[in-house]
Amino acid sequence: MGNTPMGDDLSAPGTVTTETGTILARPTNLDPGVAIVESDGRRPDATGTKGTKGTGKAMAAMGFSQAVDNSEGGLITTFFPLIGAAFGIGEGMLGLLSAISKFARMIFGPFWAMMADKYGRRKILILVTGVWGLWTVAAGFAPNFTWLLILYAISVVGTVASEPIINGLLPDLFKQSQRGKAYGTIRAIGAGVGILLGPAIGLFARGDDPSPDAWRYAMWTMGAISILSGVLIAMWVRDPRQNTACDDMMAEAGTFKISDGVKLFKIPTIYLMAGMVVLVTSLVLLAFYPNFLVIERGVSVFETTLTMSCFSIGAVFSAFLGGRLADLFVRKFGEKGRIMLMQIYLVSFAATVAIVTQLPYEGFGAAAPITFLLGLVFSIGFSGCVLPMVSNVVPTQLSATALAMLFSLIQVGVTALMSLGLGFVAEAFSSQTMFLWFVVVPYLLNALYWMLFYKVYPRDVERQQERSDQVAAGTF
């Protein structure tokens, strides 16, 4: 899940109020493909439509970037059976590797978001998505497990950055009523690219007796693809809030402060979200599921990459479906519609995980279709409900900060601590037992927890502009 955008604080004299917040009036170097939309949804030229020139390539580049970063994280878990055999380690070390990536997200997600706010989101994306791929290449040369830990830890410091920054760009590119679709589209593009990346890299492990160095070839290849994604970001992505002509105004307004993130918890929806994410344990599922297929369901490493591509195919449909379902629920039920859909999603996902991990089956032929079912449900709640809800209640200047605090800090921090121990739980008992108590049960509890949002969320949506004005005035 997945989850942290950073919005520049552009409140200053000479601003206009828009549907997505307060932005500088006609910055001189605004991407020509990004139009300023007035609060009534009209462009200043009164065409009544929002400009979209160039946003298609930008979304493709951002979706590709997310796919690469997600695939880099999944690389270790998919190829862990070969890594374990090469270095003589068990599932406890898989938990350690998984925890490293999550601690990196917790610590460096807000850090990169801060850097993006201060130095420009596009520049930081190029650094962490493209240049940082060299560390993934280096990890493929690790002579022992200790060196693999060190080099992998450095590589994931950059891997965690793209999602928070990209999520922060989308509210600037799309008006409020279209954000569910926008978040869903980005996630769908990322999942679609993952469909091709997984099996392609998995070819290194094809056959009943794959090369013991297959995981090294995979790391080298993934690092090269990461560098390519940085090139695409440089070519196609523009930051609509970038404004070199207003450096003096931006110097103070664009600076991220930790205190801003703390202040967000004065918003009832946000502190409820902080409690909610503790019960979203899908990151645990994704960390251990590929190894579960190999060890407990008799699926080969290469077949596991194909199986996870079935998951990605399902996730493509899920992301599109989530965004559109949420927009439909909002039209029919108002702001409470997203809450209703989220509860339906949580129960559905718990039931699906129970089917995928608790039913007895063997081999690729059985694993592929039920894993597709898992992917079909996976993205509905976050693409259609959680991400738009957060962006709809926080001051528009701090939307990225909010997502960084909730998902890069709180959720991933809790998941990292869980992963440290759950690898040993799976090793001592079974992954099947671990999935039941640490994925299925928390999701069912979360469905009940979401009853608390019905009272506070609609009120917080109504107060978003008020709070944005308070941030602009320095009184929030």
Side-chain angles (χ1 to χ4, degrees):
M1 235 193 50
N3 335 316
T4 18
M6 267 296 169
D8 299 332
D9 183 349
L10 296 175
S11 53
T15 61
V16 292
T17 300
T18 69
E19 181 168 343
T20 58
T22 302
I23 60 178
L24 291 169
R26 289 294 178 195
T28 56
N29 67 336
L30 185 67
D31 187 337
V34 180
I36 297 176
V37 181
E38 304 288 358
S39 57
D40 62 357
R42 294 181 292 105
R43 293 175 52 146
D45 62 7
T47 60
T49 60
K50 187 169 186 174
T52 58
K53 181 181 178 182
T55 56
K57 286 184 177 180
M59 291 185 73
M62 291 187 289
F64 184 76
S65 173
Q66 283 202 353
V68 171
D69 288 351
N70 291 338
S71 296
E72 283 191 68
L75 192 66
I76 285 288
T77 59
T78 301
F79 281 84
F80 183 78
L82 297 180
I83 295 172
F87 297 130
I89 55 177
E91 281 184 292
M93 294 300 101
L94 172 57
L96 176 59
L97 287 168
S98 177
I100 285 174
S101 67
K102 291 169 180 58
F103 278 125
R105 183 178 296 274
M106 177 187 69
I107 297 169
F108 289 98
F111 169 79
W112 288 121
M114 174 187 71
M115 293 294 101
D117 265 355
K118 189 170 183 179
Y119 297 109
R121 292 174 287 192
R122 177 174 173 271
K123 291 179 182 178
I124 298 301
L125 271 178
I126 293 171
L127 171 65
V128 297
T129 302
V131 179
W132 217 269
L134 294 172
W135 288 109
T136 303
V137 174
F141 290 99
N144 52 52
F145 184 66
T146 300
W147 271 108
L148 177 62
L149 279 176
I150 295 170
L151 293 171
Y152 177 69
I154 297 173
S155 71
V156 296
V157 165
T159 298
V160 303
S162 69
E163 187 171 8
I165 299 172
I166 288 170
N167 283 344
L169 280 169
L170 292 183
D172 290 340
L173 297 174
F174 294 90
K175 61 184 180 180
Q176 189 178 49
S177 61
Q178 296 175 331
R179 289 177 194 167
K181 184 185 297 184
Y183 281 116
T185 299
I186 285 288
R187 291 171 72 91
I189 292 172
V193 173
I195 293 170
L196 302 177
L197 274 182
I201 293 178
L203 288 172
F204 291 121
R206 66 187 181 277
D208 295 331
D209 187 23
S211 167
D213 289 326
W215 67 273
R216 298 184 187 274
Y217 306 145
M219 297 287 278
W220 297 332
T221 303
M222 184 58 70
I225 295 174
S226 181
I227 294 170
L228 172 62
S229 73
V231 173
L232 295 180
I233 292 289
M235 291 170 48
W236 291 344
V237 175
R238 295 293 180 269
D239 190 340
R241 291 186 176 184
Q242 191 173 323
N243 185 8
T244 56
C246 297
D247 286 336
D248 291 339
M249 287 188 291
M250 287 289 292
E252 181 176 353
T255 303
F256 171 85
K257 302 180 181 67
I258 293 295
S259 59
D260 290 339
V262 175
K263 290 176 184 177
L264 290 173
F265 291 95
K266 296 190 297 183
I267 303 173
T269 295
I270 297 304
Y271 66 67
L272 285 181
M273 285 284 186
M276 178 277 297
V277 296
V278 174
L279 296 172
V280 177
T281 54
S282 56
L283 295 178
V284 171
L285 172 70
L286 295 180
F288 291 94
Y289 185 63
N291 197 65
F292 164 79
L293 292 175
V294 175
I295 301 300
E296 299 192 31
R297 292 296 182 260
V299 182
S300 71
V301 173
F302 174 61
E303 289 173 338
T304 296
T305 65
L306 295 176
T307 303
M308 296 311 294
S309 285
C310 291
F311 173 87
S312 296
I313 292 172
V316 168
F317 292 106
S318 178
F320 277 116
L321 180 64
R324 284 153 182 77
L325 270 178
D327 292 341
L328 175 63
F329 269 60
V330 171
R331 286 195 296 270
K332 292 184 69 69
F333 304 106
E335 294 299 340
K336 293 182 179 180
R338 294 192 196 275
I339 304 171
M340 296 168 60
L341 179 61
M342 186 66 181
Q343 289 181 298
I344 295 171
Y345 155 75
L346 290 167
V347 174
S348 300
F349 190 74
T352 306
V353 173
I355 292 171
V356 169
T357 63
Q358 305 303 308
L359 292 182
Y361 60 89
E362 193 78 18
F364 172 74
I370 62 174
T371 302
F372 169 77
L373 177 64
L374 182 68
L376 194 60
V377 179
F378 180 73
S379 291
I380 291 175
F382 271 76
S383 62
C385 303
V386 174
L387 297 178
M389 284 174 67
V390 172
S391 67
N392 289 347
V393 300
V394 299
T396 53
Q397 304 94 326
L398 301 176
S399 62
T401 305
L403 290 168
M405 294 288 288
L406 288 171
F407 305 119
S408 288
L409 185 62
I410 298 174
Q411 184 199 15
V412 179
V414 171
T415 305
L417 292 173
M418 291 178 62
S419 297
L420 282 174
L422 292 183
F424 295 102
V425 171
E427 202 169 335
F429 299 97
S430 69
S431 296
Q432 185 178 27
T433 300
M434 184 266 290
F435 289 142
L436 175 62
W437 290 104
F438 291 95
V439 182
V440 176
V441 172
Y443 264 76
L444 292 175
L445 293 174
N446 210 357
L448 296 175
Y449 179 90
W450 268 74
M451 294 296 296
L452 300 175
F453 284 89
Y454 282 104
K455 184 176 181 180
V456 302
Y457 173 65
R459 292 189 313 196
D460 285 336
V461 172
E462 293 176 357
R463 294 193 60 191
Q464 184 186 37
Q465 187 57 55
E466 173 192 339
R467 287 167 173 147
S468 297
D469 293 341
Q470 288 173 350
V471 171
T475 59
F476 179 71

